[in-house]
Amino acid sequence: MDRVSSFDEPLKKLLGGATAKVMAEHLDLHTVGDLLHHYPRRYEERGKLTALADLPLDEHVTVVAQVADARILMFNNGRGKRLEVTLTDGSGRLQLVFFGHGVHKPHKELLPGRQAMFAGKVSVFNRKMQLAHPTYQLLDASDADEATEAVDAFAGRLLPIYPACKQLDSWRIAKAVDAVLPSAQDAVDPLPASLREGRGFTPLPEALLKVHRPQSKADIEDARARLKWDEAFVLQVALARRRYADTQLPAAARRPVADGLLDAFDAKLPFTLTEGQEKVSKEIFDDLATEHPMHRLLQGEVGSGKTMVALRAMLTVVDAGGQAAMLAPTEVLAQQHHRSITEMMGELAEGGMLGGSDRGTKVVLLTGSMGMAARRQALLDLVTGEAGIVIGTHALIEDKVQFHDLGLVVVDEQHRFGVEQRDALRSKGKQPPHLLVMTATPIPRTVAMTVFGDLETSVLDQLPAGRSPIASHVVPAKDKPHFLSRAWERVREEVENGHQAYVVCPRIGDDAEEAEGKGGKKAKAKKAAPEEDGDKRPPLAVLEIADELRKGALAGLSVEVLHGRMHPDDKDDVMRRFAAGDVDVLVATTVIEVGVNVPNATAMVIMDADRFGVSQLHQLRGRVGRGSAPGLCLLVSEAHEASPARARLSAVAATLDGFELSRIDLEQRREGDVLGQAQSGVRSSLRMLTVIDDEEVIAAAREEAVAVVAADPELEHLPELRTVLAALLDKDREEYLDKG
C-alpha cells in the first residue's frame, strides 16, 4: 500500500498551509495525486535564444540582452503612458514597450545596464522591431553559472500554463507541481500490462512527467494519449461492472404470448411499423425474455414512434402476467400519454369494463392533483392487478402506491428525473423490474457511452411514413420588425387553411413567476444565454403575448394559454380543446416541449428563441409537422446578427437532424453542462478526456473494459485497477453511476 500513500499525502505537508488552503478552496485540489492530475491547459513556447540581429518577425523568441535605456512617454493629452526600453546584445538593438498599469514594475527593474532574459512575439512598429509586454527574468551578473543555468531553464522550454485562480497564478502552481513531481514515480497504473503494451502506451509515471514538464511537443502528445486512455478506461470499467452486476440480478422473464393482448393490438393497428420500430422492438423483447432485468436506453428523434415501441413492450409484460408503469415528467405529458395510449388501444384498454375486450386490461392514470375518489380507485386497481398499465408523474413513487406484480418501468425523458425517484419506483417490484428509459433529445454516441454508459442503447432514427417536412426560419425582430408582422400573417394564413399554431414564450408572466415545477425547464429558459446578459429586458411572457395577440395581430382568432401553474383540470381542458381543433392558437411555455401530439398544428412561433438551448428548440419544433401538412417553425430573436446566439439559431434553422444539432449543442456548451450536476463525479474525473472530441478513445476503451470485466468481474487479478477504481468511486461518483 506504500505505493499509493504518497499520492494520498495532503498538500499542506509539502506546500505549506496557505498555498494548500487556496488550492483546496479554489481549485478543489487536496492531495499530491490531485495536483499531479491538475494538467496544464496549454503550453507557452518561449522560443530558443535568438541574437537581436536575427529576430524573425511574428515569432515567439527569447533573447538575453542588456538594457541600454528606458523612458516613459505620455500620449493622449497626458492620459496615457507607455514605457519604452531599448535593448542591446552586441549584435543589434531591440525595443520593448509596456502600456498602462503594466509600466510600473518594469520601470523600476529595467534600469540601464541590467541584464535580463525577455520572451515575447516580435512585431514591427515605425519600422523598428519590438516586443510588446514581454515576460522577463532578471539575471544576476555576479554569478555567471547561475545566469547560464537560468538562461537554459527559461529558453527553449515549453512552459505549462495551468488552470489557475485569482488567488494563485499559473507560475506558482507550476512551482508547487515541481515540489510534488517526484511522487509521479508512485503512480498506480490502472491499465492491465497486456493492454498497455498492446497499444504501445507510455508508462504512467513517465506520462505524468511529460505532461507537466515536456521537452518537446511529441512528449505532450504521448502524455495526452496515455492520460486520456486512463480516464476513459477507468470510467468504462466502472460502467461495465455496473452492467455486469445488473445482469446478475434476478428478474421474471416476460415473454410474448400467442393470441394475447399484443397480437390483438397489432392486428388493429391502422399502419405498419417502420423497420426501425421492428428492430428496436425485437431488441426489447429479447431483453424482456431473459431472467435478468433489462436496462435499455431508447433514444429517437422527435416523432419517431418511441411511445409505440414502449407500449408494445408494456403489452408484452401484461400478457406475461405482469404490470407496467410509465413515469412522465409533467402532468400535461402524463395526461397526454394516457389519452393517446387509451385511444390507440381502444376496447383493449377497457379490461373488466362493459364493452371492453376480454383480452383487455385497465389503463389508469395517477397524478398528484387527482380527486380522492379517482385516486383511491387507481390505487386499488394497481394493488389487485386489475390495471395492467399505469401512467403517472412523481405521484407513482409515493409509499402508498403498491403493485400486484410490477414487471416493467418505462421512464420518459430520463434527464428530468433524479436517481432516487427512479430507484424508488423500481423498488416497488417483487424483484427488480425491467427498465426502459426513453429520450427524444438525441444524444451523441460518446455522451450515450459516458452519461448513459450503464444502459444498452437502441436508436430510432427513421420517421414514420406520413410525417411532413418542417421549414425553419430565423425572424430578426429588432433589425427587421416587418418580418415579425409577416410571421403573424403566416400564422393567420395557417389558421385560415384549417390548421392550428403554437406560440412559445420563455416566461409565464404572472406575479408568482418562478421555475415551473420540479420537472420543468423554466429556470433554464428564464436565464438569458450568457452572451445576452447585457440585455436587461425580461424574457417575453405567455400572458402578455397572448393578450397582445388577441387585441392585435391575431384578433378574431381563438387564442388560449397553457402553462405549468394552471390547475390540472384547466390544463387538460385546454389541451383537449386544442386537440379537437376548437382553439386556433395556443400560447404556451415549454410544457408543450415533449409528447404533445396534435397533427393538425402546423405552425410554431418561438419568441425570444435565443433564450432556449439548441436541443430544446429542436424538441419544441417537433410539435409541428406531425400530420400530412408541412410544418413551419419561426425563431423570433432580438439577438445581434453576429452574436453566438444568432449562430445557434441559424444552426437550428439549417437542419432537422437532431443528432447533428446535439453535437453543435455539445460543442457550444462543452462537457460541464452536458454531464450536469448529477454527474459531477464524472465531470471531476474527466480532466484530459473531452466527451466531444474523443469518440474513438471512448469507444475503444469501452470495448477493452467489457472484455476485462467479462474475464474478471471482481478484478481479482488487477489490483492496481481495483485501487484506482476505488479512488474514483467515492460517494459522489457512486451516485452518478447509480443513475442508470
Side-chain angles (χ1 to χ4, degrees):
M1 283 307 288
D2 285 342
R3 297 183 58 210
V4 195
S5 59
S6 73
F7 257 50
D8 290 340
E9 196 86 50
L11 284 172
K12 63 170 172 266
K13 272 195 176 175
L14 283 96
L15 305 178
T19 306
K21 187 168 187 254
V22 172
M23 287 194 165
E25 286 176 6
H26 298 280
L27 297 169
D28 197 23
L29 305 175
H30 307 273
T31 64
V32 167
D34 290 344
L35 183 52
L36 284 173
H37 288 302
H38 187 68
Y39 306 129
R41 179 178 283 143
R42 59 188 175 85
Y43 300 85
E44 198 71 67
E45 287 188 73
R46 293 284 199 192
K48 297 285 181 206
L49 280 182
T50 315
L52 295 188
D54 307 327
L55 289 178
L57 195 60
D58 280 342
E59 280 191 25
H60 285 276
V61 298
T62 305
V63 298
V64 172
Q66 200 167 36
V67 177
D69 68 72
R71 59 191 183 281
I72 284 195
L73 302 172
M74 301 303 221
F75 60 93
N76 217 353
N77 290 333
R79 285 199 297 275
K81 59 169 98 168
R82 75 173 179 271
L83 170 67
E84 286 186 0
V85 179
T86 307
L87 303 181
T88 175
D89 70 348
S91 76
R93 292 169 84 78
L94 173 67
Q95 191 167 314
L96 313 179
V97 60
F98 299 86
F99 291 99
H101 298 303
V103 306
H104 305 305
K105 188 167 177 258
H107 188 221
K108 277 193 223 150
E109 294 182 336
L110 299 179
L111 305 171
R114 291 301 301 261
Q115 194 178 33
M117 283 183 295
F118 302 89
K121 190 176 179 185
V122 183
S123 57
V124 169
F125 182 70
N126 277 347
R127 293 204 291 274
K128 281 187 193 161
M129 293 277 202
Q130 75 165 24
L131 300 181
H133 280 285
T135 48
Y136 63 88
Q137 188 171 330
L138 298 172
L139 298 174
D140 184 354
S142 63
D143 186 338
D145 286 349
E146 197 179 307
T148 308
E149 210 174 286
V151 169
D152 289 346
F154 187 87
R157 272 266 304 278
L158 287 158
L159 259 130
I161 307 297
Y162 287 92
C165 60
K166 201 165 73 179
Q167 296 78 0
L168 201 64
D169 53 26
S170 173
W171 68 267
R172 280 173 63 198
I173 294 172
K175 271 183 107 160
V177 169
D178 282 336
V180 301
L181 212 45
S183 298
Q185 295 309 320
D186 300 334
V188 176
D189 196 328
L191 296 191
S194 57
L195 191 161
R196 192 172 63 239
E197 286 149 23
R199 291 186 176 266
F201 284 131
T202 304
L204 184 55
E206 195 183 314
L208 289 169
L209 285 172
K210 281 180 169 178
V211 80
H212 288 292
R213 298 294 173 261
Q215 300 301 308
S216 65
K217 288 185 176 171
D219 278 0
I220 299 171
E221 289 308 306
D222 268 8
R224 285 195 158 161
R226 167 67 217 250
L227 296 167
K228 277 182 181 183
W229 246 90
D230 281 18
E231 287 177 9
F233 179 71
V234 171
L235 179 57
Q236 292 301 334
V237 167
L239 293 164
R241 288 186 75 194
R242 178 54 51 103
R243 288 196 300 275
Y244 179 83
D246 285 338
T247 63
Q248 303 309 298
L249 292 171
R254 312 283 179 172
R255 296 184 181 89
V257 172
D259 288 333
L261 193 50
L262 179 65
D263 284 353
F265 175 75
D266 283 350
K268 67 194 282 298
L269 274 183
F271 51 82
T272 54
L273 297 174
T274 66
E275 217 174 284
Q277 285 174 319
E278 292 278 16
K279 179 176 137 289
V280 171
S281 288
K282 184 183 182 318
E283 290 170 351
I284 292 171
F285 291 159
D286 289 349
D287 282 356
L288 290 174
T290 64
E291 291 176 357
H292 302 292
M294 163 172 81
H295 285 88
R296 191 165 282 280
L297 169 69
L298 170 56
Q299 52 167 326
E301 274 290 12
V302 176
S304 56
K306 291 181 300 300
T307 311
M308 173 61 70
V309 169
L311 176 55
R312 295 181 75 241
M314 293 197 281
L315 296 175
T316 302
V317 169
V318 175
D319 271 344
Q323 291 169 293
M326 183 185 242
L327 185 59
T330 63
E331 293 211 348
V332 168
L333 190 50
Q335 287 162 342
Q336 176 85 28
H337 276 319
H338 181 253
R339 192 158 51 239
S340 62
I341 282 172
T342 47
E343 278 166 12
M344 282 195 275
M345 288 176 64
E347 73 280 4
L348 296 173
E350 295 166 359
M353 297 186 221
L354 200 61
S357 161
D358 53 355
R359 283 189 288 187
T361 187
K362 234 181 185 186
V363 179
V364 300
L365 176 69
L366 189 65
T367 65
S369 61
M370 281 167 69
M372 277 312 292
R375 187 183 178 78
R376 204 173 289 123
Q377 184 59 52
L379 291 172
L380 187 65
D381 288 341
L382 286 178
V383 77
T384 58
E386 189 84 5
I389 294 175
V390 59
I391 294 140
T393 55
H394 302 82
L396 278 176
I397 294 164
E398 290 167 15
D399 291 345
K400 285 193 215 88
V401 181
Q402 291 181 344
F403 290 84
H404 177 66
D405 180 13
L406 180 60
L408 170 67
V409 172
V410 178
V411 180
D412 194 19
E413 291 306 315
Q414 155 73 17
H415 59 280
R416 303 281 193 92
F417 289 99
V419 186
E420 307 79 16
Q421 295 165 322
R422 226 215 19 239
D423 284 353
L425 182 53
R426 281 170 68 191
S427 68
K428 291 179 183 291
K430 289 175 183 166
Q431 47 189 345
H434 298 282
L435 174 71
L436 180 65
V437 166
M438 301 198 296
T439 177
T441 307
I443 304 164
R445 182 166 159 251
T446 45
V447 179
M449 285 190 292
T450 311
V451 182
F452 296 99
D454 50 347
L455 299 169
E456 300 300 331
T457 305
S458 297
V459 178
L460 274 176
D461 47 13
Q462 289 170 288
L463 289 186
R467 291 300 300 260
S468 302
I470 306 169
S472 306
H473 304 284
V474 179
V475 178
K478 208 170 195 171
D479 312 342
K480 299 181 177 167
H482 60 285
F483 276 38
L484 183 57
S485 312
R486 177 69 188 120
W488 299 128
E489 282 171 26
R490 283 292 290 111
V491 168
R492 198 176 266 285
E493 285 163 16
E494 289 297 312
V495 172
E496 281 164 4
N497 288 331
H499 298 301
Q500 293 157 279
Y502 298 100
V503 177
V504 182
C505 303
R507 261 178 63 226
I508 299 174
D510 58 10
D511 297 338
E513 192 67 64
E514 62 186 49
E516 209 175 42
K518 198 164 180 184
K521 286 198 176 172
K522 277 307 301 297
K524 246 183 237 176
K526 270 174 67 178
K527 177 158 174 27
E531 61 270 11
E532 272 73 63
D533 277 351
D535 169 13
K536 290 292 182 258
R537 170 174 74 66
L540 295 171
V542 166
L543 302 177
E544 293 152 20
I545 292 290
D547 214 32
E548 280 175 31
L549 291 175
R550 286 188 191 111
K551 291 174 185 163
L554 302 182
L557 301 186
S558 159
V559 177
E560 294 276 2
V561 302
L562 179 71
H563 59 75
R565 280 204 312 280
M566 288 164 60
H567 188 280
D569 292 350
D570 297 339
K571 277 193 274 198
D572 203 38
D573 176 55
V574 170
M575 272 319 298
R576 269 180 203 284
R577 288 188 296 115
F578 187 65
D582 300 337
V583 173
D584 299 324
V585 179
L586 188 62
V587 185
T589 56
T590 54
V591 290
I592 62 153
E593 182 186 345
V594 272
V596 173
N597 184 19
V598 180
N600 191 45
T602 53
M604 175 175 285
V605 180
I606 303 178
M607 308 302 291
D608 277 344
D610 46 277
R611 312 231 182 190
F612 298 95
V614 170
S615 298
Q616 211 175 5
L617 291 169
H618 182 60
Q619 287 283 330
L620 287 164
R621 170 171 64 186
R623 301 302 111 215
V624 296
R626 299 177 79 86
S628 50
L632 172 69
C633 180
L634 302 174
L635 306 166
V636 179
S637 168
E638 291 186 3
H640 188 271
E641 195 167 0
S643 67
R646 274 288 285 278
R648 209 165 52 226
L649 296 183
S650 302
V652 174
T655 178
L656 290 171
D657 180 341
F659 286 93
E660 174 58 27
L661 285 173
S662 67
R663 183 165 277 279
I664 292 167
D665 196 17
L666 196 45
E667 279 167 3
Q668 289 183 340
R669 296 191 299 161
R670 308 308 291 181
E671 353 292 329
D673 279 358
V674 176
L675 298 180
Q677 283 314 303
Q679 289 81 17
S680 58
V682 162
R683 193 167 67 224
S684 56
S685 72
L686 299 189
R687 310 202 171 176
M688 187 63 82
L689 193 74
T690 56
V691 175
I692 307 160
D693 305 322
D694 294 319
E695 181 164 340
E696 284 164 25
V697 175
I698 293 170
R702 181 178 168 116
E703 248 171 69
E704 295 276 12
V706 168
V708 163
V709 171
D712 182 2
E714 294 305 313
L715 308 179
E716 283 170 20
H717 306 296
L718 298 167
E720 291 85 0
L721 177 54
R722 235 182 21 243
T723 301
V724 174
L725 260 184
L728 171 76
L729 298 183
D730 56 26
K731 272 294 145 249
D732 289 353
R733 296 165 192 172
E734 271 290 8
E735 178 143 315
Y736 151 68
L737 289 172
D738 271 336
K739 65 173 265 318

